[in-house]
Amino acid sequence: MDLRARKYSERLGVISDAQFQRALDTFGLGRFLGAEPISQGLFGQNVYVTSSCGEFVLRGKPHYDWQFPNEQLFADLLHARTRVPVPHPYLLDPGPAIFGWPYVIMPRLAGRNLSDDVDETLRDADRLEIAVAQGRLLAEAQRLTHPFCGKFDVASGGIRPYEGDWFPVFARQTMELLRRAASYNGNTPDRDLEWATGLIAAAQAAMDDFRPTFFMQDYKPGNMVADVVDGRWQITGLFDLMEASFGHPEADLSRLWAVYVEKGRDDLAYAFLNAYLPAAVDVERFARRFSLFMLHDRALIWEWVQRTNRAWWDTSWTFRVWAERFLHMDRRRVAGGSPPGA
């Protein structure tokens, strides 16, 4: 038994120095010097690893057989076709020989993780610059386009088109999540389902043609690092691409918008939004579409919280009471392409 071993997270369990060295040897990444647990993230899949070749992140024990191949595909595509800083190369060992599960080794990206604890130490001017940078980075990521909307297929290793058009698939997913949540308890009553159905119908009437783009679905501060570059804050890394697919470009606005609204920072929400939106956006039609994107994002969170009983809000709230504040948008504050300080 290797006595130089440590428990790095509940998910990964105990890992020995010898196992880290074997993983590094697999990809010719030098001599193991040390490892540290990573506090950010819900699931404990990641460990910082230092070798004689540099700083890395080891990511292990995937949730699904498609998780790491999907992440690898999108990391490769974003690296090749955009200027988004993603972990690359994304080195995947699909076998269980070393740890008992597949793992990935990727470069550790420089910068400060934008999780809540770090964010609280920043000045307002810093936060505003970061929000603008987040909008611009999302627009850059969406230079990654595809001929059709779809998601990763583990059998083929490529993107499989959805069965049917994107809108009905996205709307159906939203309502399925809410109906599932309704089966757990009484917090998602029929009247809330009817309200959601009405929002979807209004959004459909405002849908315009779009080109399928990279859709991360978890575009939020905890999946980014930032640093000051040439005197201004920039996003220096984007990661955790598990849920990535190709869909409507505006759908990725919702998660980060909700983070800022929940913090009571509407100023940052609009700075992010305006840095992303093109100057010629039809604000009224956009706002109606945005209701669907936010509804879908909130349904994802709501279903998980109702299933796991992990609410961080008043548990007497129904879905509509909780979700409605994220759906409000002051059209007068939307001015695409003109963020503060631009």
Side-chain angles (χ1 to χ4, degrees), residues 138-160:
L138 181 57
E140 173 64 24
Q142 292 177 351
R143 292 176 58 211
L144 175 57
T145 62
H146 200 66
F148 53 82
C149 294
K151 64 190 300 183
F152 182 74
D153 174 56
V154 71
S156 68
I159 302 299
R160 182 182 64 211

PDB file of all heavy atoms in Angstrom, residues 138-160:
ATOM      1  N   LEU A 138     -18.882  35.378 -24.186  1.00  0.00           N
ATOM      2  CA  LEU A 138     -19.974  34.533 -24.681  1.00  0.00           C
ATOM      3  C   LEU A 138     -20.195  34.765 -26.173  1.00  0.00           C
ATOM      4  O   LEU A 138     -20.388  33.813 -26.942  1.00  0.00           O
ATOM      5  CB  LEU A 138     -21.258  34.814 -23.901  1.00  0.00           C
ATOM      6  CG  LEU A 138     -22.474  33.972 -24.305  1.00  0.00           C
ATOM      7  CD1 LEU A 138     -22.180  32.484 -24.191  1.00  0.00           C
ATOM      8  CD2 LEU A 138     -23.683  34.342 -23.446  1.00  0.00           C
ATOM      9  N   ALA A 139     -20.148  36.012 -26.595  1.00  0.00           N
ATOM     10  CA  ALA A 139     -20.291  36.294 -28.026  1.00  0.00           C
ATOM     11  C   ALA A 139     -19.161  35.647 -28.817  1.00  0.00           C
ATOM     12  O   ALA A 139     -19.385  35.104 -29.916  1.00  0.00           O
ATOM     13  CB  ALA A 139     -20.308  37.802 -28.259  1.00  0.00           C
ATOM     14  N   GLU A 140     -17.945  35.670 -28.272  1.00  0.00           N
ATOM     15  CA  GLU A 140     -16.825  35.022 -28.955  1.00  0.00           C
ATOM     16  C   GLU A 140     -17.017  33.504 -29.006  1.00  0.00           C
ATOM     17  O   GLU A 140     -16.760  32.875 -30.041  1.00  0.00           O
ATOM     18  CB  GLU A 140     -15.520  35.359 -28.228  1.00  0.00           C
ATOM     19  CG  GLU A 140     -14.294  34.625 -28.728  1.00  0.00           C
ATOM     20  CD  GLU A 140     -13.929  34.955 -30.171  1.00  0.00           C
ATOM     21  OE1 GLU A 140     -14.303  36.049 -30.655  1.00  0.00           O
ATOM     22  OE2 GLU A 140     -13.270  34.122 -30.823  1.00  0.00           O
ATOM     23  N   ALA A 141     -17.485  32.906 -27.912  1.00  0.00           N
ATOM     24  CA  ALA A 141     -17.708  31.453 -27.894  1.00  0.00           C
ATOM     25  C   ALA A 141     -18.710  31.044 -28.960  1.00  0.00           C
ATOM     26  O   ALA A 141     -18.614  29.939 -29.530  1.00  0.00           O
ATOM     27  CB  ALA A 141     -18.186  31.019 -26.513  1.00  0.00           C
ATOM     28  N   GLN A 142     -19.655  31.920 -29.252  1.00  0.00           N
ATOM     29  CA  GLN A 142     -20.697  31.565 -30.198  1.00  0.00           C
ATOM     30  C   GLN A 142     -20.290  31.790 -31.651  1.00  0.00           C
ATOM     31  O   GLN A 142     -21.116  31.636 -32.562  1.00  0.00           O
ATOM     32  CB  GLN A 142     -21.983  32.302 -29.830  1.00  0.00           C
ATOM     33  CG  GLN A 142     -22.540  31.764 -28.522  1.00  0.00           C
ATOM     34  CD  GLN A 142     -23.772  32.484 -28.048  1.00  0.00           C
ATOM     35  OE1 GLN A 142     -24.163  33.522 -28.585  1.00  0.00           O
ATOM     36  NE2 GLN A 142     -24.408  31.938 -27.032  1.00  0.00           N
ATOM     37  N   ARG A 143     -19.023  32.092 -31.860  1.00  0.00           N
ATOM     38  CA  ARG A 143     -18.471  31.947 -33.205  1.00  0.00           C
ATOM     39  C   ARG A 143     -18.399  30.470 -33.585  1.00  0.00           C
ATOM     40  O   ARG A 143     -18.240  30.140 -34.758  1.00  0.00           O
ATOM     41  CB  ARG A 143     -17.081  32.580 -33.286  1.00  0.00           C
ATOM     42  CG  ARG A 143     -17.087  34.107 -33.161  1.00  0.00           C
ATOM     43  CD  ARG A 143     -15.678  34.654 -33.161  1.00  0.00           C
ATOM     44  NE  ARG A 143     -14.953  34.262 -34.368  1.00  0.00           N
ATOM     45  CZ  ARG A 143     -13.639  34.051 -34.440  1.00  0.00           C
ATOM     46  NH1 ARG A 143     -12.900  34.167 -33.343  1.00  0.00           N
ATOM     47  NH2 ARG A 143     -13.062  33.729 -35.574  1.00  0.00           N
ATOM     48  N   LEU A 144     -18.490  29.600 -32.570  1.00  0.00           N
ATOM     49  CA  LEU A 144     -18.558  28.161 -32.823  1.00  0.00           C
ATOM     50  C   LEU A 144     -19.991  27.809 -33.206  1.00  0.00           C
ATOM     51  O   LEU A 144     -20.888  27.833 -32.360  1.00  0.00           O
ATOM     52  CB  LEU A 144     -18.126  27.382 -31.578  1.00  0.00           C
ATOM     53  CG  LEU A 144     -18.259  25.862 -31.659  1.00  0.00           C
ATOM     54  CD1 LEU A 144     -17.480  25.296 -32.846  1.00  0.00           C
ATOM     55  CD2 LEU A 144     -17.797  25.220 -30.354  1.00  0.00           C
ATOM     56  N   THR A 145     -20.206  27.532 -34.468  1.00  0.00           N
ATOM     57  CA  THR A 145     -21.543  27.220 -34.979  1.00  0.00           C
ATOM     58  C   THR A 145     -21.569  25.805 -35.544  1.00  0.00           C
ATOM     59  O   THR A 145     -20.535  25.135 -35.649  1.00  0.00           O
ATOM     60  CB  THR A 145     -21.960  28.228 -36.058  1.00  0.00           C
ATOM     61  OG1 THR A 145     -21.045  28.136 -37.164  1.00  0.00           O
ATOM     62  CG2 THR A 145     -21.955  29.655 -35.505  1.00  0.00           C
ATOM     63  N   HIS A 146     -22.760  25.382 -35.926  1.00  0.00           N
ATOM     64  CA  HIS A 146     -22.951  24.018 -36.425  1.00  0.00           C
ATOM     65  C   HIS A 146     -24.082  24.039 -37.444  1.00  0.00           C
ATOM     66  O   HIS A 146     -24.959  24.910 -37.368  1.00  0.00           O
ATOM     67  CB  HIS A 146     -23.291  23.084 -35.255  1.00  0.00           C
ATOM     68  CG  HIS A 146     -23.045  21.638 -35.535  1.00  0.00           C
ATOM     69  ND1 HIS A 146     -21.788  21.124 -35.748  1.00  0.00           N
ATOM     70  CD2 HIS A 146     -23.895  20.582 -35.652  1.00  0.00           C
ATOM     71  CE1 HIS A 146     -21.870  19.826 -35.960  1.00  0.00           C
ATOM     72  NE2 HIS A 146     -23.143  19.477 -35.918  1.00  0.00           N
ATOM     73  N   PRO A 147     -24.097  23.091 -38.366  1.00  0.00           N
ATOM     74  CA  PRO A 147     -25.173  23.092 -39.367  1.00  0.00           C
ATOM     75  C   PRO A 147     -26.560  22.830 -38.798  1.00  0.00           C
ATOM     76  O   PRO A 147     -27.561  23.176 -39.425  1.00  0.00           O
ATOM     77  CB  PRO A 147     -24.759  21.979 -40.336  1.00  0.00           C
ATOM     78  CG  PRO A 147     -23.280  21.813 -40.136  1.00  0.00           C
ATOM     79  CD  PRO A 147     -23.036  22.123 -38.696  1.00  0.00           C
ATOM     80  N   PHE A 148     -26.640  22.194 -37.635  1.00  0.00           N
ATOM     81  CA  PHE A 148     -27.942  21.878 -37.059  1.00  0.00           C
ATOM     82  C   PHE A 148     -27.848  21.877 -35.536  1.00  0.00           C
ATOM     83  O   PHE A 148     -26.755  21.769 -34.966  1.00  0.00           O
ATOM     84  CB  PHE A 148     -28.454  20.517 -37.554  1.00  0.00           C
ATOM     85  CG  PHE A 148     -27.475  19.385 -37.362  1.00  0.00           C
ATOM     86  CD1 PHE A 148     -27.350  18.737 -36.134  1.00  0.00           C
ATOM     87  CD2 PHE A 148     -26.664  18.951 -38.415  1.00  0.00           C
ATOM     88  CE1 PHE A 148     -26.445  17.698 -35.957  1.00  0.00           C
ATOM     89  CE2 PHE A 148     -25.756  17.913 -38.246  1.00  0.00           C
ATOM     90  CZ  PHE A 148     -25.647  17.282 -37.017  1.00  0.00           C
ATOM     91  N   CYS A 149     -28.996  21.989 -34.872  1.00  0.00           N
ATOM     92  CA  CYS A 149     -29.068  21.898 -33.416  1.00  0.00           C
ATOM     93  C   CYS A 149     -29.014  20.424 -33.009  1.00  0.00           C
ATOM     94  O   CYS A 149     -29.638  19.574 -33.645  1.00  0.00           O
ATOM     95  CB  CYS A 149     -30.356  22.518 -32.900  1.00  0.00           C
ATOM     96  SG  CYS A 149     -30.479  24.297 -33.160  1.00  0.00           S
ATOM     97  N   GLY A 150     -28.287  20.134 -31.948  1.00  0.00           N
ATOM     98  CA  GLY A 150     -28.199  18.755 -31.496  1.00  0.00           C
ATOM     99  C   GLY A 150     -27.254  18.633 -30.326  1.00  0.00           C
ATOM    100  O   GLY A 150     -26.683  19.619 -29.849  1.00  0.00           O
ATOM    101  N   LYS A 151     -27.063  17.412 -29.876  1.00  0.00           N
ATOM    102  CA  LYS A 151     -26.209  17.153 -28.726  1.00  0.00           C
ATOM    103  C   LYS A 151     -25.302  15.968 -29.000  1.00  0.00           C
ATOM    104  O   LYS A 151     -25.488  15.231 -29.978  1.00  0.00           O
ATOM    105  CB  LYS A 151     -27.056  16.920 -27.477  1.00  0.00           C
ATOM    106  CG  LYS A 151     -27.952  15.700 -27.532  1.00  0.00           C
ATOM    107  CD  LYS A 151     -28.925  15.662 -26.365  1.00  0.00           C
ATOM    108  CE  LYS A 151     -28.227  15.630 -25.025  1.00  0.00           C
ATOM    109  NZ  LYS A 151     -29.179  15.513 -23.902  1.00  0.00           N
ATOM    110  N   PHE A 152     -24.354  15.751 -28.113  1.00  0.00           N
ATOM    111  CA  PHE A 152     -23.341  14.721 -28.291  1.00  0.00           C
ATOM    112  C   PHE A 152     -23.958  13.327 -28.262  1.00  0.00           C
ATOM    113  O   PHE A 152     -24.847  13.037 -27.459  1.00  0.00           O
ATOM    114  CB  PHE A 152     -22.294  14.841 -27.188  1.00  0.00           C
ATOM    115  CG  PHE A 152     -21.173  13.855 -27.288  1.00  0.00           C
ATOM    116  CD1 PHE A 152     -20.189  14.011 -28.256  1.00  0.00           C
ATOM    117  CD2 PHE A 152     -21.103  12.771 -26.421  1.00  0.00           C
ATOM    118  CE1 PHE A 152     -19.144  13.099 -28.345  1.00  0.00           C
ATOM    119  CE2 PHE A 152     -20.063  11.865 -26.506  1.00  0.00           C
ATOM    120  CZ  PHE A 152     -19.074  12.030 -27.475  1.00  0.00           C
ATOM    121  N   ASP A 153     -23.456  12.488 -29.151  1.00  0.00           N
ATOM    122  CA  ASP A 153     -23.869  11.084 -29.223  1.00  0.00           C
ATOM    123  C   ASP A 153     -22.644  10.226 -28.945  1.00  0.00           C
ATOM    124  O   ASP A 153     -21.683  10.243 -29.723  1.00  0.00           O
ATOM    125  CB  ASP A 153     -24.443  10.774 -30.604  1.00  0.00           C
ATOM    126  CG  ASP A 153     -24.742   9.295 -30.777  1.00  0.00           C
ATOM    127  OD1 ASP A 153     -25.489   8.743 -29.952  1.00  0.00           O
ATOM    128  OD2 ASP A 153     -24.213   8.692 -31.737  1.00  0.00           O
ATOM    129  N   VAL A 154     -22.665   9.499 -27.844  1.00  0.00           N
ATOM    130  CA  VAL A 154     -21.471   8.759 -27.429  1.00  0.00           C
ATOM    131  C   VAL A 154     -21.138   7.636 -28.406  1.00  0.00           C
ATOM    132  O   VAL A 154     -19.957   7.286 -28.591  1.00  0.00           O
ATOM    133  CB  VAL A 154     -21.645   8.216 -25.989  1.00  0.00           C
ATOM    134  CG1 VAL A 154     -22.657   7.091 -25.944  1.00  0.00           C
ATOM    135  CG2 VAL A 154     -20.306   7.778 -25.402  1.00  0.00           C
ATOM    136  N   ALA A 155     -22.129   7.076 -29.078  1.00  0.00           N
ATOM    137  CA  ALA A 155     -21.878   5.972 -30.007  1.00  0.00           C
ATOM    138  C   ALA A 155     -21.062   6.424 -31.211  1.00  0.00           C
ATOM    139  O   ALA A 155     -20.136   5.743 -31.650  1.00  0.00           O
ATOM    140  CB  ALA A 155     -23.201   5.364 -30.452  1.00  0.00           C
ATOM    141  N   SER A 156     -21.397   7.594 -31.747  1.00  0.00           N
ATOM    142  CA  SER A 156     -20.705   8.086 -32.936  1.00  0.00           C
ATOM    143  C   SER A 156     -19.544   9.015 -32.606  1.00  0.00           C
ATOM    144  O   SER A 156     -18.666   9.250 -33.446  1.00  0.00           O
ATOM    145  CB  SER A 156     -21.697   8.824 -33.849  1.00  0.00           C
ATOM    146  OG  SER A 156     -22.142  10.033 -33.224  1.00  0.00           O
ATOM    147  N   GLY A 157     -19.558   9.567 -31.397  1.00  0.00           N
ATOM    148  CA  GLY A 157     -18.536  10.531 -31.021  1.00  0.00           C
ATOM    149  C   GLY A 157     -18.739  11.903 -31.631  1.00  0.00           C
ATOM    150  O   GLY A 157     -17.853  12.752 -31.580  1.00  0.00           O
ATOM    151  N   GLY A 158     -19.932  12.132 -32.211  1.00  0.00           N
ATOM    152  CA  GLY A 158     -20.226  13.412 -32.835  1.00  0.00           C
ATOM    153  C   GLY A 158     -21.543  13.981 -32.348  1.00  0.00           C
ATOM    154  O   GLY A 158     -22.103  13.534 -31.336  1.00  0.00           O
ATOM    155  N   ILE A 159     -22.060  14.965 -33.056  1.00  0.00           N
ATOM    156  CA  ILE A 159     -23.305  15.636 -32.687  1.00  0.00           C
ATOM    157  C   ILE A 159     -24.469  14.982 -33.420  1.00  0.00           C
ATOM    158  O   ILE A 159     -24.439  14.835 -34.649  1.00  0.00           O
ATOM    159  CB  ILE A 159     -23.243  17.137 -33.025  1.00  0.00           C
ATOM    160  CG1 ILE A 159     -22.063  17.799 -32.291  1.00  0.00           C
ATOM    161  CG2 ILE A 159     -24.555  17.823 -32.641  1.00  0.00           C
ATOM    162  CD1 ILE A 159     -22.134  17.731 -30.784  1.00  0.00           C
ATOM    163  N   ARG A 160     -25.467  14.592 -32.679  1.00  0.00           N
ATOM    164  CA  ARG A 160     -26.676  13.994 -33.250  1.00  0.00           C
ATOM    165  C   ARG A 160     -27.776  15.052 -33.269  1.00  0.00           C
ATOM    166  O   ARG A 160     -28.024  15.701 -32.251  1.00  0.00           O
ATOM    167  CB  ARG A 160     -27.122  12.799 -32.411  1.00  0.00           C
ATOM    168  CG  ARG A 160     -28.366  12.073 -32.959  1.00  0.00           C
ATOM    169  CD  ARG A 160     -28.755  10.939 -32.044  1.00  0.00           C
ATOM    170  NE  ARG A 160     -29.146  11.424 -30.727  1.00  0.00           N
ATOM    171  CZ  ARG A 160     -28.979  10.759 -29.591  1.00  0.00           C
ATOM    172  NH1 ARG A 160     -28.391   9.586 -29.584  1.00  0.00           N
ATOM    173  NH2 ARG A 160     -29.385  11.276 -28.440  1.00  0.00           N
TER     174      ARG A 160
END
